[in-house]
Every structure is written in structure tokens, then in C-alpha cells.
Amino acid sequence: MSLLLALFAQPMMNRLPDNAQLVPPKQVRALVAAYGDCIVNREGARASTAIVAGLGSSEMLARYPQLLQESCVPGQLGDVVQVKFSEDQYRYAIADALVRRELAAVPPPALEDVAPLGHGGPAAPPTIDGRARPMAGRALDAAVRSYDKQRAANYMWRYGECVVRVDPAAAKALLMTEPGSKEENARFSAMGTAFGTCLAEGKSLEFGKADLRGTVAVNYYRLAHAARTARVAERGS
């Protein structure tokens, strides 16, 4: 997956003018972060519930439409910023913002006794449709593409969980940095061991920094909550 966000600063018009400006990648990441902060400030409880539940972006939007608010897209007076979230950007932004707001002053969680997270994903390649009829031709091709896409996403989420478990302190330190900053680059470098340890044999690291940070953010937040729940249950037993 790659981070693709269509962001254009433009004068107030009904269509995109010829001189519309594509926002630079570093500024795109800053805008995404600002969007996440805005949503979490307004809808923190819903945002937390959605991330902890492990919902994908599409399911998050379906269950919690309040988490998509155009007014949270930053822009200067007289400008319009057109935004199109793709894949899991939406989930990344919200999880990252939740970590910064709720967990900045909380020590990294102890995860030794925390059960593996559930990440969903397809159980097996598709062979039949919703009516239990064998698939073939275009229908089968489309189902296989969807399966491959879900499997790749599932691998990314499991990879992120592994990274956080290997070095939760380094994961937190990464999430406390400003996206695109020198400090973020340094924290990524410091996580080289965790990134390498979690790569499956024969796999190469194909995620960009935004995707890596996103899967770390989602998994860090979910694991921190799971660790908290486990402690509460232990005290109550």
C-alpha cells in the first residue's frame, strides 16, 4: 500500500482550475495529522471505540459517520482543500491522534501477557459466491483481487502488531514525533531492529513511512488498551 491523499489548495470555484497546486508530501502529512487531531478532539469516544475494535476504514465510516467531517480539513481563508482519503489513511490519522492525546504521558505498555489482537482478513481464497455457487471468469478474477488485497492489508496489520510488541518504547517515541520531521527520521532508524525482526522470511519491507507509522499507531493504541484491560481484570480477580 502507498500513502495517496489528493489534496489541492485552490481558489473558491466549482471546478479545479488549471493552476491548482498539489500540496507537497510533507505538507500532506501535516494536513493528515491535523485532520486526525480535529476528529479526536471532537469525537474522541467514538474514535477510540472504532480503533480499539479493529475496524477498517470502510467499516469505521459505516458505523461512525461522525468521524468524517469536512470542517476538520485545514485550509487558509479563501482556499479550498479537496481531500480524498485512500485505503487506511483515515484509520492511521485517527489512531495517531489518539496516541498523542491519551498516551503521551503514559509509559509504554508491558505486553508479555497481552493476547494477540484480531485483525480480521479472509480465511481462504474465494471459490464460491454468496449463494454458494462456484465462481468463474470475471467474477472469480474480481474476488481473487479482493482477496489478495485483504490478505496484504492483514499482513500489514499483523506486522505492525509485531513491531510494537518487539519494542513498545521505540514505537511510542516514533508516534510522539512530528510527521516528516528529522526527529521522525531518527526514530525510524532507531526501530530498524524491530522492523527487521518482524519481517517474514522471504519478505521485503515495501511500506512507506506513512504506512509504517500508521500501522504502528493503530497497533500501539489497541495494544495499550488491551494491556490496560488485562491489568484491570487482574486486579479484580
Side-chain angles (χ1 to χ4, degrees):
M1 295 184 182
S2 59
L3 184 72
L4 297 173
L5 182 60
L7 284 171
F8 294 90
Q10 65 178 85
M12 291 288 253
M13 297 180 65
N14 293 327
R15 64 183 181 86
L16 198 66
D18 294 336
N19 64 345
Q21 182 181 1
L22 181 64
V23 178
K26 184 174 181 179
Q27 189 175 347
V28 168
R29 295 193 64 197
L31 288 170
V32 171
Y35 178 86
D37 287 335
C38 178
I39 290 295
V40 168
N41 286 337
R42 295 180 180 181
E43 300 286 347
R46 289 189 177 97
S48 177
T49 299
I51 295 297
V52 170
L55 304 181
S57 294
S58 297
E59 194 172 4
M60 285 176 67
L61 292 176
R63 291 195 191 184
Y64 304 102
Q66 302 90 343
L67 300 182
L68 184 62
Q69 300 185 22
E70 291 184 3
S71 58
C72 275
V73 178
Q76 297 179 351
L77 185 63
D79 288 347
V80 171
V81 179
Q82 292 189 340
V83 182
K84 181 181 179 180
F85 286 101
S86 66
E87 300 299 342
D88 282 296
Q89 284 182 324
Y90 175 72
R91 194 182 187 194
Y92 298 160
I94 290 176
D96 209 322
L98 285 168
V99 172
R100 292 193 304 272
R101 190 180 80 159
E102 297 181 8
L103 304 177
V106 179
L111 301 173
E112 292 80 4
D113 298 325
V114 176
L117 298 174
H119 297 292
T127 56
I128 57 175
D129 63 16
R131 297 182 180 179
R133 298 174 302 186
M135 288 190 295
R138 293 181 179 178
L140 179 60
D141 291 342
V144 169
R145 287 195 299 270
S146 176
Y147 167 79
D148 289 341
K149 184 177 180 181
Q150 292 177 53
R151 186 175 61 175
N154 183 261
Y155 172 78
M156 183 182 71
W157 296 120
R158 289 186 288 108
Y159 177 78
E161 179 178 356
C162 176
V163 168
V164 175
R165 286 182 180 275
V166 168
D167 199 340
K172 179 188 175 183
L174 169 66
L175 299 175
M176 294 300 105
T177 65
E178 179 183 345
S181 65
K182 292 181 180 179
E183 292 76 14
E184 184 193 52
N185 290 336
R187 293 301 181 182
F188 267 118
S189 297
M191 294 186 69
T193 298
F195 290 144
T197 298
C198 292
L199 277 177
E201 186 176 353
K203 287 275 189 178
S204 59
L205 193 60
E206 299 177 354
F207 311 138
K209 286 184 176 179
D211 287 311
L212 279 174
R213 178 168 176 146
T215 190
V216 168
V218 170
N219 281 286
Y220 186 92
Y221 190 76
R222 294 186 68 196
L223 285 167
H225 271 257
R228 182 186 304 169
T229 300
R231 289 196 302 272
V232 170
E234 183 178 344
R235 288 197 295 266
S237 60

